[in-house]
Amino acid sequence: MAQLWKSWGVEPDAMIGHSMGEYTAACLAGVMSLEDALALVTVRGRLFEKLAPGSMTSVAIPEAELRPLLPEGLSIAAVNAPELCVASGEAAAIAALERALAERGIEHRPIRIAVAAHSAMVEPILGEFRDFVSSIRLSAPTIPYVSNVTGDWVTPEQAQSPEYWVQHLRSTVRFADGVQKLLGGDDRLVLEVGPGQTLTSLARLAGEDSAERALASLPRPKHDESARHAALTTLGRLWQAGKTIDWEGFHAADPRQRISLPTYPFERKRYWIDADPEVAPGIPADAQPAAADPLASLFHRPVWKRSTAPYTAQAEGEWLVFADPSGPSGRLVDSIASSIPNLTYVEAGERFAQLGPNRFTVQPGSADDHLKLVQALKQRGSFPSRIAHFWSVTTDDESPQRMLELGFYSLLFLAQALSAEAVDEELSLSVVSNHMQRVRDEALLHSEKATLLGVCRVIPQELQNVRCQSLDLSELEDIPAASLLAELSGADDAAETTIAYRGGARWVQTVETSPLPAAEDGRPRCARRACI
């Protein structure tokens, strides 16, 4: 992959690798030959197979806070970001650490690996590893790269020392410090060379402006985007940022003819003005028959119509549910929870905390807490495909401000977090409320909840991968559990976005044309003057 980028004119000014990735950086810098680097990787893997089984877990706190919590025998294997570390060691000690983290509400995630890399458990193989490194030729680097051991530029003495590479196998991977060093230049971009986007995500956590300066060569695993499309998109972004591209090298296998192009990128949006379908072709517009009142069809009003409930419920995939266990929203979730095989629960609390692998607390009025929630869900490896937001099912004694936090602000901050973390999976968002809609002649008890309709309509316009549905109840008994599960499971239906249940009957909101009433002179009102 690195050689492909170099053939396109993308030459590195500096490099960094993560753990074994430093072998690649050293190879590209001329420290070791390709053959020796491959042999080193092979020996490393063979020696790891001799080690006793171990475990590793990722912990979302700074190194200084994690170190006092480590049981005896555990090591900090990596500092991947300012507030993201990896603990490594014996499986029993890692399990004890994870229990302690859960009790403190500290976010953590096991790493699927059976080896305790960069810990004391690798010490039995260091001697044999040292012998092999001593047998290969090591040279001074011709391209600067950052050391995982120090988080600073590697020196010629370190790169040529077998002892350095032994220390590299055992010591903490200081990737966060290395990225900070690498991004020291104001105009420097970092490009991940390899599969996936893990290092890109870590680099974006390095600082406020690092998100726009980290690019990936290839798409995320299980992503619909092709590898070619991802690489060419990144190439375009490098060129747009001012990087000189070797276009002759890029087109070497398939020559192109050069043409002039605009200096701005194509946005892939169509702005063509279509012909007026009301005007027949070939007939002058003034020869067309006189139309009826041009304003007659411009006015509409919302109406409620009876509808049949969905018949089937398919509780597939992962679900994320916002509800209060001790309140009315919790009773609604309890009625359907047994039918949802993979459910993650989010409670309203005073601060963000992870209570377990599938349970979180979030402060409803905190944008930062919602961002931490989305980040925690992404780090699990798969993101819930259905989100059911029940926090707006409240009792009558909630204050208006609290209702806004539980409803409008929580949904707003959730949408902002999904956008900030570039969550591009297809999502269905169902917002369940009570006493918000006036379907018949009932009194509106909580008009503050009408703000939910705004975010439900705007989110799908801002986030093309999210579909929203509003479901309003009068009483909890209005909707049977089977119907509730069917509504939430059928939120993909874009035609029915605003639904209400009253007394067991299902209503759907639509709009219909509402002609203006005629004025006293018989002419349609506002036909020839501005409407007031």
Side-chain angles (χ1 to χ4, degrees), residues 91-150:
I94 289 292
L97 173 63
E98 290 176 338
R99 288 192 297 270
L101 295 173
E103 291 175 359
R104 290 172 167 82
I106 298 174
E107 180 186 343
H108 61 281
R109 177 171 173 255
I111 297 176
R112 295 182 179 89
I113 187 173
V115 174
H118 299 282
S119 74
M121 293 188 69
V122 305
E123 292 179 359
I125 65 172
L126 296 183
E128 190 172 347
F129 186 77
R130 181 185 292 105
D131 293 340
F132 178 80
V133 180
S134 300
S135 68
I136 66 176
R137 180 180 178 182
L138 299 173
S139 305
T142 58
I143 302 175
Y145 68 89
V146 179
S147 162
N148 284 171
V149 178
T150 65

Side-chain angles (χ1 to χ4, degrees), residues 16 63 79 146 150-152 174-182:
I16 186 173
E63 178 184 6
V79 181
V146 179
T150 65
D152 205 342
R174 301 208 163 272
F175 186 74
D177 294 338
V179 171
Q180 292 281 7
K181 177 66 66 173
L182 203 63

Side-chain angles (χ1 to χ4, degrees), residues 54-76:
S55 296
M56 303 176 74
T57 189
S58 178
V59 187
I61 55 175
E63 178 184 6
E65 296 180 20
L66 175 59
R67 195 170 292 281
L69 302 178
L70 294 180
E72 184 177 357
L74 291 190
S75 304
I76 295 182

Side-chain angles (χ1 to χ4, degrees), residues 72 143 155 180 184 198 252 286 288 291 319-320 340 351 353 364 369 376 394 397 419 423 427 434 440 522:
E72 184 177 357
I143 302 175
T155 65
Q180 292 281 7
T198 301
D286 56 4
Q288 296 291 325
W319 289 52
L320 180 67
I340 303 176
R351 65 180 181 88
D369 278 14
T394 61
D397 56 355
S419 176
V423 176
L427 304 179
N434 65 331
R440 295 175 290 185

